[in-house]
Amino acid sequence: MDGLQRPQDVSDVFGLDDRIYISVEFRDVRAGARLGFRWSSGSCGGEYETGPQQPLRRGFFAFYVDETNCVGEHAVEITVDGAVAAETSFVVVNQPSVTRQ
């Protein structure tokens, strides 16, 4: 991530030791909106949601997954006020870090 939380060195495949960032560009965020994401893979998963936001015309938020010990494909839902706004996925492979440090 750069200083504005925009993605760099984009990948959707990660190793067990990698920190996985989900960088999302949000547009026309209304005052009080809560931005977040949910991720899941079998018995693994988690979610994060921000507090109420200030109005925002355009900006990036970088969320990260801090538990990457579940090998396989992970589904990701990007949320606004708990409702799904977009979906993506990533894969964790059974090996050490595969992304550049």
PDB file of all heavy atoms in Angstrom, residues 38-76:
ATOM      1  N   ARG A  38     -15.876  -8.506   4.720  1.00  0.00           N
ATOM      2  CA  ARG A  38     -15.985  -9.833   5.337  1.00  0.00           C
ATOM      3  C   ARG A  38     -15.210 -10.796   4.453  1.00  0.00           C
ATOM      4  O   ARG A  38     -15.244 -10.683   3.234  1.00  0.00           O
ATOM      5  CB  ARG A  38     -17.442 -10.290   5.403  1.00  0.00           C
ATOM      6  CG  ARG A  38     -18.303  -9.513   6.340  1.00  0.00           C
ATOM      7  CD  ARG A  38     -19.691 -10.136   6.483  1.00  0.00           C
ATOM      8  NE  ARG A  38     -20.523  -9.886   5.325  1.00  0.00           N
ATOM      9  CZ  ARG A  38     -21.403  -8.900   5.224  1.00  0.00           C
ATOM     10  NH1 ARG A  38     -21.553  -8.044   6.211  1.00  0.00           N
ATOM     11  NH2 ARG A  38     -22.136  -8.762   4.145  1.00  0.00           N
ATOM     12  N   TRP A  39     -14.525 -11.745   5.065  1.00  0.00           N
ATOM     13  CA  TRP A  39     -13.830 -12.761   4.280  1.00  0.00           C
ATOM     14  C   TRP A  39     -14.073 -14.126   4.903  1.00  0.00           C
ATOM     15  O   TRP A  39     -14.289 -14.240   6.110  1.00  0.00           O
ATOM     16  CB  TRP A  39     -12.335 -12.447   4.179  1.00  0.00           C
ATOM     17  CG  TRP A  39     -11.613 -12.444   5.496  1.00  0.00           C
ATOM     18  CD1 TRP A  39     -11.510 -11.412   6.388  1.00  0.00           C
ATOM     19  CD2 TRP A  39     -10.912 -13.530   6.091  1.00  0.00           C
ATOM     20  NE1 TRP A  39     -10.791 -11.785   7.484  1.00  0.00           N
ATOM     21  CE2 TRP A  39     -10.399 -13.081   7.329  1.00  0.00           C
ATOM     22  CE3 TRP A  39     -10.655 -14.831   5.705  1.00  0.00           C
ATOM     23  CZ2 TRP A  39      -9.655 -13.895   8.161  1.00  0.00           C
ATOM     24  CZ3 TRP A  39      -9.906 -15.651   6.543  1.00  0.00           C
ATOM     25  CH2 TRP A  39      -9.426 -15.167   7.753  1.00  0.00           C
ATOM     26  N   SER A  40     -14.083 -15.146   4.040  1.00  0.00           N
ATOM     27  CA  SER A  40     -14.335 -16.490   4.554  1.00  0.00           C
ATOM     28  C   SER A  40     -13.742 -17.548   3.629  1.00  0.00           C
ATOM     29  O   SER A  40     -13.601 -17.349   2.433  1.00  0.00           O
ATOM     30  CB  SER A  40     -15.835 -16.743   4.713  1.00  0.00           C
ATOM     31  OG  SER A  40     -16.466 -16.663   3.450  1.00  0.00           O
ATOM     32  N   SER A  41     -13.391 -18.675   4.258  1.00  0.00           N
ATOM     33  CA  SER A  41     -12.898 -19.849   3.552  1.00  0.00           C
ATOM     34  C   SER A  41     -13.120 -21.039   4.465  1.00  0.00           C
ATOM     35  O   SER A  41     -12.378 -21.229   5.425  1.00  0.00           O
ATOM     36  CB  SER A  41     -11.404 -19.712   3.229  1.00  0.00           C
ATOM     37  OG  SER A  41     -10.917 -20.888   2.639  1.00  0.00           O
ATOM     38  N   GLY A  42     -14.135 -21.815   4.189  1.00  0.00           N
ATOM     39  CA  GLY A  42     -14.416 -22.959   5.053  1.00  0.00           C
ATOM     40  C   GLY A  42     -14.678 -22.506   6.473  1.00  0.00           C
ATOM     41  O   GLY A  42     -15.555 -21.696   6.736  1.00  0.00           O
ATOM     42  N   SER A  43     -13.862 -23.000   7.423  1.00  0.00           N
ATOM     43  CA  SER A  43     -14.057 -22.653   8.831  1.00  0.00           C
ATOM     44  C   SER A  43     -13.337 -21.371   9.232  1.00  0.00           C
ATOM     45  O   SER A  43     -13.432 -20.952  10.378  1.00  0.00           O
ATOM     46  CB  SER A  43     -13.574 -23.808   9.712  1.00  0.00           C
ATOM     47  OG  SER A  43     -12.178 -23.993   9.531  1.00  0.00           O
ATOM     48  N   CYS A  44     -12.620 -20.742   8.317  1.00  0.00           N
ATOM     49  CA  CYS A  44     -11.899 -19.495   8.609  1.00  0.00           C
ATOM     50  C   CYS A  44     -12.698 -18.306   8.120  1.00  0.00           C
ATOM     51  O   CYS A  44     -13.443 -18.405   7.156  1.00  0.00           O
ATOM     52  CB  CYS A  44     -10.547 -19.489   7.894  1.00  0.00           C
ATOM     53  SG  CYS A  44      -9.447 -20.797   8.445  1.00  0.00           S
ATOM     54  N   GLY A  45     -12.513 -17.196   8.774  1.00  0.00           N
ATOM     55  CA  GLY A  45     -13.183 -15.987   8.322  1.00  0.00           C
ATOM     56  C   GLY A  45     -13.072 -14.880   9.333  1.00  0.00           C
ATOM     57  O   GLY A  45     -12.547 -15.057  10.426  1.00  0.00           O
ATOM     58  N   GLY A  46     -13.557 -13.737   8.941  1.00  0.00           N
ATOM     59  CA  GLY A  46     -13.541 -12.581   9.818  1.00  0.00           C
ATOM     60  C   GLY A  46     -14.208 -11.412   9.143  1.00  0.00           C
ATOM     61  O   GLY A  46     -14.660 -11.504   7.997  1.00  0.00           O
ATOM     62  N   GLU A  47     -14.276 -10.318   9.860  1.00  0.00           N
ATOM     63  CA  GLU A  47     -14.860  -9.118   9.291  1.00  0.00           C
ATOM     64  C   GLU A  47     -14.328  -7.900  10.022  1.00  0.00           C
ATOM     65  O   GLU A  47     -13.816  -8.000  11.144  1.00  0.00           O
ATOM     66  CB  GLU A  47     -16.375  -9.147   9.330  1.00  0.00           C
ATOM     67  CG  GLU A  47     -16.986  -9.181  10.709  1.00  0.00           C
ATOM     68  CD  GLU A  47     -18.497  -9.294  10.625  1.00  0.00           C
ATOM     69  OE1 GLU A  47     -19.129  -8.397  10.041  1.00  0.00           O
ATOM     70  OE2 GLU A  47     -19.022 -10.272  11.145  1.00  0.00           O
ATOM     71  N   TYR A  48     -14.451  -6.764   9.363  1.00  0.00           N
ATOM     72  CA  TYR A  48     -14.055  -5.493   9.949  1.00  0.00           C
ATOM     73  C   TYR A  48     -14.990  -4.428   9.407  1.00  0.00           C
ATOM     74  O   TYR A  48     -15.375  -4.462   8.236  1.00  0.00           O
ATOM     75  CB  TYR A  48     -12.611  -5.138   9.580  1.00  0.00           C
ATOM     76  CG  TYR A  48     -12.245  -3.750  10.044  1.00  0.00           C
ATOM     77  CD1 TYR A  48     -11.889  -3.519  11.365  1.00  0.00           C
ATOM     78  CD2 TYR A  48     -12.301  -2.677   9.177  1.00  0.00           C
ATOM     79  CE1 TYR A  48     -11.599  -2.235  11.807  1.00  0.00           C
ATOM     80  CE2 TYR A  48     -12.003  -1.392   9.610  1.00  0.00           C
ATOM     81  CZ  TYR A  48     -11.645  -1.178  10.927  1.00  0.00           C
ATOM     82  OH  TYR A  48     -11.364   0.089  11.354  1.00  0.00           O
ATOM     83  N   GLU A  49     -15.353  -3.490  10.281  1.00  0.00           N
ATOM     84  CA  GLU A  49     -16.179  -2.365   9.856  1.00  0.00           C
ATOM     85  C   GLU A  49     -15.671  -1.104  10.546  1.00  0.00           C
ATOM     86  O   GLU A  49     -15.385  -1.127  11.745  1.00  0.00           O
ATOM     87  CB  GLU A  49     -17.641  -2.606  10.213  1.00  0.00           C
ATOM     88  CG  GLU A  49     -18.577  -1.545   9.680  1.00  0.00           C
ATOM     89  CD  GLU A  49     -20.024  -1.902   9.923  1.00  0.00           C
ATOM     90  OE1 GLU A  49     -20.483  -1.735  11.076  1.00  0.00           O
ATOM     91  OE2 GLU A  49     -20.682  -2.344   8.974  1.00  0.00           O
ATOM     92  N   THR A  50     -15.556  -0.012   9.785  1.00  0.00           N
ATOM     93  CA  THR A  50     -15.119   1.260  10.352  1.00  0.00           C
ATOM     94  C   THR A  50     -16.224   1.864  11.196  1.00  0.00           C
ATOM     95  O   THR A  50     -17.375   1.443  11.126  1.00  0.00           O
ATOM     96  CB  THR A  50     -14.762   2.273   9.243  1.00  0.00           C
ATOM     97  OG1 THR A  50     -15.969   2.657   8.553  1.00  0.00           O
ATOM     98  CG2 THR A  50     -13.748   1.729   8.269  1.00  0.00           C
ATOM     99  N   GLY A  51     -15.868   2.880  11.921  1.00  0.00           N
ATOM    100  CA  GLY A  51     -16.879   3.699  12.570  1.00  0.00           C
ATOM    101  C   GLY A  51     -17.518   4.600  11.524  1.00  0.00           C
ATOM    102  O   GLY A  51     -17.163   4.566  10.350  1.00  0.00           O
ATOM    103  N   PRO A  52     -18.467   5.432  11.938  1.00  0.00           N
ATOM    104  CA  PRO A  52     -19.118   6.343  11.001  1.00  0.00           C
ATOM    105  C   PRO A  52     -18.089   7.246  10.311  1.00  0.00           C
ATOM    106  O   PRO A  52     -17.201   7.787  10.961  1.00  0.00           O
ATOM    107  CB  PRO A  52     -20.062   7.157  11.879  1.00  0.00           C
ATOM    108  CG  PRO A  52     -20.276   6.304  13.091  1.00  0.00           C
ATOM    109  CD  PRO A  52     -18.996   5.560  13.295  1.00  0.00           C
ATOM    110  N   GLN A  53     -18.234   7.387   9.004  1.00  0.00           N
ATOM    111  CA  GLN A  53     -17.296   8.160   8.189  1.00  0.00           C
ATOM    112  C   GLN A  53     -17.808   9.572   7.913  1.00  0.00           C
ATOM    113  O   GLN A  53     -19.008   9.826   7.929  1.00  0.00           O
ATOM    114  CB  GLN A  53     -17.067   7.458   6.853  1.00  0.00           C
ATOM    115  CG  GLN A  53     -16.403   6.113   6.983  1.00  0.00           C
ATOM    116  CD  GLN A  53     -15.005   6.231   7.560  1.00  0.00           C
ATOM    117  OE1 GLN A  53     -14.153   6.917   7.012  1.00  0.00           O
ATOM    118  NE2 GLN A  53     -14.783   5.562   8.681  1.00  0.00           N
ATOM    119  N   GLN A  54     -16.869  10.457   7.657  1.00  0.00           N
ATOM    120  CA  GLN A  54     -17.188  11.782   7.144  1.00  0.00           C
ATOM    121  C   GLN A  54     -17.544  11.629   5.672  1.00  0.00           C
ATOM    122  O   GLN A  54     -17.136  10.663   5.032  1.00  0.00           O
ATOM    123  CB  GLN A  54     -15.976  12.713   7.289  1.00  0.00           C
ATOM    124  CG  GLN A  54     -15.577  12.972   8.726  1.00  0.00           C
ATOM    125  CD  GLN A  54     -16.670  13.719   9.468  1.00  0.00           C
ATOM    126  OE1 GLN A  54     -17.262  14.661   8.962  1.00  0.00           O
ATOM    127  NE2 GLN A  54     -16.942  13.279  10.693  1.00  0.00           N
ATOM    128  N   PRO A  55     -18.282  12.561   5.091  1.00  0.00           N
ATOM    129  CA  PRO A  55     -18.575  12.475   3.658  1.00  0.00           C
ATOM    130  C   PRO A  55     -17.260  12.430   2.865  1.00  0.00           C
ATOM    131  O   PRO A  55     -16.291  13.085   3.228  1.00  0.00           O
ATOM    132  CB  PRO A  55     -19.343  13.753   3.347  1.00  0.00           C
ATOM    133  CG  PRO A  55     -19.737  14.328   4.647  1.00  0.00           C
ATOM    134  CD  PRO A  55     -18.828  13.765   5.694  1.00  0.00           C
ATOM    135  N   LEU A  56     -17.247  11.636   1.821  1.00  0.00           N
ATOM    136  CA  LEU A  56     -16.036  11.435   1.040  1.00  0.00           C
ATOM    137  C   LEU A  56     -16.414  11.278  -0.422  1.00  0.00           C
ATOM    138  O   LEU A  56     -17.205  10.393  -0.757  1.00  0.00           O
ATOM    139  CB  LEU A  56     -15.313  10.176   1.544  1.00  0.00           C
ATOM    140  CG  LEU A  56     -14.046   9.750   0.852  1.00  0.00           C
ATOM    141  CD1 LEU A  56     -12.934  10.751   1.115  1.00  0.00           C
ATOM    142  CD2 LEU A  56     -13.639   8.371   1.366  1.00  0.00           C
ATOM    143  N   ARG A  57     -15.884  12.129  -1.269  1.00  0.00           N
ATOM    144  CA  ARG A  57     -16.179  12.026  -2.702  1.00  0.00           C
ATOM    145  C   ARG A  57     -15.477  10.824  -3.312  1.00  0.00           C
ATOM    146  O   ARG A  57     -16.061  10.077  -4.078  1.00  0.00           O
ATOM    147  CB  ARG A  57     -15.770  13.306  -3.414  1.00  0.00           C
ATOM    148  CG  ARG A  57     -16.121  13.271  -4.878  1.00  0.00           C
ATOM    149  CD  ARG A  57     -16.023  14.632  -5.516  1.00  0.00           C
ATOM    150  NE  ARG A  57     -16.331  14.478  -6.913  1.00  0.00           N
ATOM    151  CZ  ARG A  57     -15.521  14.818  -7.888  1.00  0.00           C
ATOM    152  NH1 ARG A  57     -14.354  15.356  -7.621  1.00  0.00           N
ATOM    153  NH2 ARG A  57     -15.863  14.621  -9.129  1.00  0.00           N
ATOM    154  N   ARG A  58     -14.198  10.664  -2.965  1.00  0.00           N
ATOM    155  CA  ARG A  58     -13.424   9.540  -3.492  1.00  0.00           C
ATOM    156  C   ARG A  58     -12.240   9.292  -2.572  1.00  0.00           C
ATOM    157  O   ARG A  58     -11.547  10.221  -2.186  1.00  0.00           O
ATOM    158  CB  ARG A  58     -12.916   9.863  -4.882  1.00  0.00           C
ATOM    159  CG  ARG A  58     -12.066   8.785  -5.478  1.00  0.00           C
ATOM    160  CD  ARG A  58     -11.592   9.162  -6.867  1.00  0.00           C
ATOM    161  NE  ARG A  58     -10.750   8.107  -7.398  1.00  0.00           N
ATOM    162  CZ  ARG A  58      -9.710   8.335  -8.158  1.00  0.00           C
ATOM    163  NH1 ARG A  58      -9.364   9.547  -8.491  1.00  0.00           N
ATOM    164  NH2 ARG A  58      -9.002   7.318  -8.594  1.00  0.00           N
ATOM    165  N   GLY A  59     -12.006   8.035  -2.227  1.00  0.00           N
ATOM    166  CA  GLY A  59     -10.866   7.700  -1.391  1.00  0.00           C
ATOM    167  C   GLY A  59     -10.675   6.209  -1.279  1.00  0.00           C
ATOM    168  O   GLY A  59     -11.583   5.422  -1.549  1.00  0.00           O
ATOM    169  N   PHE A  60      -9.484   5.808  -0.902  1.00  0.00           N
ATOM    170  CA  PHE A  60      -9.135   4.397  -0.737  1.00  0.00           C
ATOM    171  C   PHE A  60      -9.071   4.051   0.742  1.00  0.00           C
ATOM    172  O   PHE A  60      -8.625   4.861   1.560  1.00  0.00           O
ATOM    173  CB  PHE A  60      -7.771   4.098  -1.369  1.00  0.00           C
ATOM    174  CG  PHE A  60      -7.793   4.053  -2.866  1.00  0.00           C
ATOM    175  CD1 PHE A  60      -7.717   5.215  -3.609  1.00  0.00           C
ATOM    176  CD2 PHE A  60      -7.900   2.851  -3.528  1.00  0.00           C
ATOM    177  CE1 PHE A  60      -7.735   5.181  -4.992  1.00  0.00           C
ATOM    178  CE2 PHE A  60      -7.918   2.803  -4.912  1.00  0.00           C
ATOM    179  CZ  PHE A  60      -7.836   3.972  -5.641  1.00  0.00           C
ATOM    180  N   PHE A  61      -9.515   2.848   1.072  1.00  0.00           N
ATOM    181  CA  PHE A  61      -9.331   2.279   2.393  1.00  0.00           C
ATOM    182  C   PHE A  61      -8.637   0.938   2.199  1.00  0.00           C
ATOM    183  O   PHE A  61      -9.036   0.156   1.332  1.00  0.00           O
ATOM    184  CB  PHE A  61     -10.668   2.054   3.109  1.00  0.00           C
ATOM    185  CG  PHE A  61     -11.270   3.308   3.667  1.00  0.00           C
ATOM    186  CD1 PHE A  61     -12.038   4.135   2.868  1.00  0.00           C
ATOM    187  CD2 PHE A  61     -11.052   3.664   4.986  1.00  0.00           C
ATOM    188  CE1 PHE A  61     -12.598   5.291   3.368  1.00  0.00           C
ATOM    189  CE2 PHE A  61     -11.608   4.827   5.501  1.00  0.00           C
ATOM    190  CZ  PHE A  61     -12.377   5.636   4.686  1.00  0.00           C
ATOM    191  N   ALA A  62      -7.614   0.684   2.994  1.00  0.00           N
ATOM    192  CA  ALA A  62      -6.902  -0.592   2.929  1.00  0.00           C
ATOM    193  C   ALA A  62      -7.190  -1.364   4.209  1.00  0.00           C
ATOM    194  O   ALA A  62      -6.794  -0.966   5.293  1.00  0.00           O
ATOM    195  CB  ALA A  62      -5.406  -0.368   2.760  1.00  0.00           C
ATOM    196  N   PHE A  63      -7.934  -2.443   4.063  1.00  0.00           N
ATOM    197  CA  PHE A  63      -8.220  -3.348   5.176  1.00  0.00           C
ATOM    198  C   PHE A  63      -7.203  -4.476   5.096  1.00  0.00           C
ATOM    199  O   PHE A  63      -6.697  -4.787   4.026  1.00  0.00           O
ATOM    200  CB  PHE A  63      -9.619  -3.943   5.029  1.00  0.00           C
ATOM    201  CG  PHE A  63     -10.697  -2.915   4.845  1.00  0.00           C
ATOM    202  CD1 PHE A  63     -11.300  -2.738   3.609  1.00  0.00           C
ATOM    203  CD2 PHE A  63     -11.129  -2.130   5.903  1.00  0.00           C
ATOM    204  CE1 PHE A  63     -12.311  -1.808   3.429  1.00  0.00           C
ATOM    205  CE2 PHE A  63     -12.136  -1.193   5.740  1.00  0.00           C
ATOM    206  CZ  PHE A  63     -12.722  -1.032   4.495  1.00  0.00           C
ATOM    207  N   TYR A  64      -6.892  -5.130   6.196  1.00  0.00           N
ATOM    208  CA  TYR A  64      -5.995  -6.273   6.090  1.00  0.00           C
ATOM    209  C   TYR A  64      -6.526  -7.472   6.858  1.00  0.00           C
ATOM    210  O   TYR A  64      -7.238  -7.340   7.843  1.00  0.00           O
ATOM    211  CB  TYR A  64      -4.565  -5.937   6.522  1.00  0.00           C
ATOM    212  CG  TYR A  64      -4.367  -5.669   7.987  1.00  0.00           C
ATOM    213  CD1 TYR A  64      -4.069  -6.702   8.862  1.00  0.00           C
ATOM    214  CD2 TYR A  64      -4.452  -4.375   8.495  1.00  0.00           C
ATOM    215  CE1 TYR A  64      -3.867  -6.464  10.205  1.00  0.00           C
ATOM    216  CE2 TYR A  64      -4.256  -4.123   9.837  1.00  0.00           C
ATOM    217  CZ  TYR A  64      -3.958  -5.167  10.683  1.00  0.00           C
ATOM    218  OH  TYR A  64      -3.774  -4.940  12.013  1.00  0.00           O
ATOM    219  N   VAL A  65      -6.155  -8.621   6.341  1.00  0.00           N
ATOM    220  CA  VAL A  65      -6.497  -9.899   6.963  1.00  0.00           C
ATOM    221  C   VAL A  65      -5.302 -10.295   7.810  1.00  0.00           C
ATOM    222  O   VAL A  65      -4.188 -10.426   7.299  1.00  0.00           O
ATOM    223  CB  VAL A  65      -6.782 -10.976   5.890  1.00  0.00           C
ATOM    224  CG1 VAL A  65      -7.031 -12.329   6.536  1.00  0.00           C
ATOM    225  CG2 VAL A  65      -7.955 -10.562   5.017  1.00  0.00           C
ATOM    226  N   ASP A  66      -5.500 -10.462   9.097  1.00  0.00           N
ATOM    227  CA  ASP A  66      -4.383 -10.758   9.989  1.00  0.00           C
ATOM    228  C   ASP A  66      -4.291 -12.237  10.370  1.00  0.00           C
ATOM    229  O   ASP A  66      -3.504 -12.613  11.202  1.00  0.00           O
ATOM    230  CB  ASP A  66      -4.448  -9.896  11.239  1.00  0.00           C
ATOM    231  CG  ASP A  66      -5.725 -10.094  12.030  1.00  0.00           C
ATOM    232  OD1 ASP A  66      -6.590 -10.879  11.604  1.00  0.00           O
ATOM    233  OD2 ASP A  66      -5.867  -9.449  13.082  1.00  0.00           O
ATOM    234  N   GLU A  67      -5.088 -13.061   9.749  1.00  0.00           N
ATOM    235  CA  GLU A  67      -5.075 -14.498  10.064  1.00  0.00           C
ATOM    236  C   GLU A  67      -5.036 -15.264   8.742  1.00  0.00           C
ATOM    237  O   GLU A  67      -6.062 -15.498   8.122  1.00  0.00           O
ATOM    238  CB  GLU A  67      -6.330 -14.867  10.846  1.00  0.00           C
ATOM    239  CG  GLU A  67      -6.354 -16.298  11.300  1.00  0.00           C
ATOM    240  CD  GLU A  67      -7.635 -16.603  12.065  1.00  0.00           C
ATOM    241  OE1 GLU A  67      -8.076 -15.780  12.862  1.00  0.00           O
ATOM    242  OE2 GLU A  67      -8.179 -17.690  11.822  1.00  0.00           O
ATOM    243  N   THR A  68      -3.846 -15.627   8.293  1.00  0.00           N
ATOM    244  CA  THR A  68      -3.715 -16.266   6.984  1.00  0.00           C
ATOM    245  C   THR A  68      -3.300 -17.730   7.095  1.00  0.00           C
ATOM    246  O   THR A  68      -2.642 -18.260   6.230  1.00  0.00           O
ATOM    247  CB  THR A  68      -2.683 -15.522   6.122  1.00  0.00           C
ATOM    248  OG1 THR A  68      -1.423 -15.524   6.803  1.00  0.00           O
ATOM    249  CG2 THR A  68      -3.126 -14.114   5.846  1.00  0.00           C
ATOM    250  N   ASN A  69      -3.686 -18.385   8.174  1.00  0.00           N
ATOM    251  CA  ASN A  69      -3.278 -19.772   8.351  1.00  0.00           C
ATOM    252  C   ASN A  69      -4.243 -20.771   7.707  1.00  0.00           C
ATOM    253  O   ASN A  69      -4.120 -21.967   7.911  1.00  0.00           O
ATOM    254  CB  ASN A  69      -3.088 -20.098   9.837  1.00  0.00           C
ATOM    255  CG  ASN A  69      -4.346 -19.866  10.636  1.00  0.00           C
ATOM    256  OD1 ASN A  69      -5.325 -19.347  10.121  1.00  0.00           O
ATOM    257  ND2 ASN A  69      -4.317 -20.254  11.887  1.00  0.00           N
ATOM    258  N   CYS A  70      -5.182 -20.288   6.934  1.00  0.00           N
ATOM    259  CA  CYS A  70      -6.134 -21.158   6.248  1.00  0.00           C
ATOM    260  C   CYS A  70      -5.807 -21.194   4.756  1.00  0.00           C
ATOM    261  O   CYS A  70      -6.027 -20.212   4.039  1.00  0.00           O
ATOM    262  CB  CYS A  70      -7.561 -20.667   6.447  1.00  0.00           C
ATOM    263  SG  CYS A  70      -8.093 -20.785   8.162  1.00  0.00           S
ATOM    264  N   VAL A  71      -5.277 -22.305   4.316  1.00  0.00           N
ATOM    265  CA  VAL A  71      -4.905 -22.474   2.916  1.00  0.00           C
ATOM    266  C   VAL A  71      -6.164 -22.636   2.070  1.00  0.00           C
ATOM    267  O   VAL A  71      -7.129 -23.266   2.490  1.00  0.00           O
ATOM    268  CB  VAL A  71      -3.984 -23.709   2.763  1.00  0.00           C
ATOM    269  CG1 VAL A  71      -3.710 -24.028   1.309  1.00  0.00           C
ATOM    270  CG2 VAL A  71      -2.682 -23.495   3.530  1.00  0.00           C
ATOM    271  N   GLY A  72      -6.155 -22.045   0.883  1.00  0.00           N
ATOM    272  CA  GLY A  72      -7.261 -22.196  -0.048  1.00  0.00           C
ATOM    273  C   GLY A  72      -7.790 -20.865  -0.527  1.00  0.00           C
ATOM    274  O   GLY A  72      -7.221 -19.807  -0.246  1.00  0.00           O
ATOM    275  N   GLU A  73      -8.905 -20.908  -1.260  1.00  0.00           N
ATOM    276  CA  GLU A  73      -9.520 -19.692  -1.787  1.00  0.00           C
ATOM    277  C   GLU A  73     -10.405 -19.061  -0.726  1.00  0.00           C
ATOM    278  O   GLU A  73     -11.138 -19.745  -0.014  1.00  0.00           O
ATOM    279  CB  GLU A  73     -10.346 -19.989  -3.030  1.00  0.00           C
ATOM    280  CG  GLU A  73     -10.874 -18.722  -3.668  1.00  0.00           C
ATOM    281  CD  GLU A  73     -11.412 -18.926  -5.065  1.00  0.00           C
ATOM    282  OE1 GLU A  73     -11.261 -20.018  -5.622  1.00  0.00           O
ATOM    283  OE2 GLU A  73     -11.985 -17.959  -5.596  1.00  0.00           O
ATOM    284  N   HIS A  74     -10.322 -17.749  -0.632  1.00  0.00           N
ATOM    285  CA  HIS A  74     -11.081 -16.976   0.340  1.00  0.00           C
ATOM    286  C   HIS A  74     -11.997 -16.011  -0.406  1.00  0.00           C
ATOM    287  O   HIS A  74     -11.535 -15.252  -1.256  1.00  0.00           O
ATOM    288  CB  HIS A  74     -10.142 -16.174   1.245  1.00  0.00           C
ATOM    289  CG  HIS A  74      -9.262 -17.025   2.100  1.00  0.00           C
ATOM    290  ND1 HIS A  74      -8.270 -17.822   1.589  1.00  0.00           N
ATOM    291  CD2 HIS A  74      -9.238 -17.198   3.430  1.00  0.00           C
ATOM    292  CE1 HIS A  74      -7.660 -18.449   2.575  1.00  0.00           C
ATOM    293  NE2 HIS A  74      -8.231 -18.087   3.702  1.00  0.00           N
ATOM    294  N   ALA A  75     -13.260 -16.024  -0.093  1.00  0.00           N
ATOM    295  CA  ALA A  75     -14.222 -15.082  -0.660  1.00  0.00           C
ATOM    296  C   ALA A  75     -14.194 -13.797   0.161  1.00  0.00           C
ATOM    297  O   ALA A  75     -14.068 -13.847   1.384  1.00  0.00           O
ATOM    298  CB  ALA A  75     -15.620 -15.684  -0.650  1.00  0.00           C
ATOM    299  N   VAL A  76     -14.319 -12.662  -0.513  1.00  0.00           N
ATOM    300  CA  VAL A  76     -14.299 -11.364   0.155  1.00  0.00           C
ATOM    301  C   VAL A  76     -15.532 -10.571  -0.273  1.00  0.00           C
ATOM    302  O   VAL A  76     -15.836 -10.492  -1.464  1.00  0.00           O
ATOM    303  CB  VAL A  76     -13.031 -10.562  -0.209  1.00  0.00           C
ATOM    304  CG1 VAL A  76     -13.049  -9.198   0.464  1.00  0.00           C
ATOM    305  CG2 VAL A  76     -11.775 -11.336   0.166  1.00  0.00           C
TER     306      VAL A  76
END
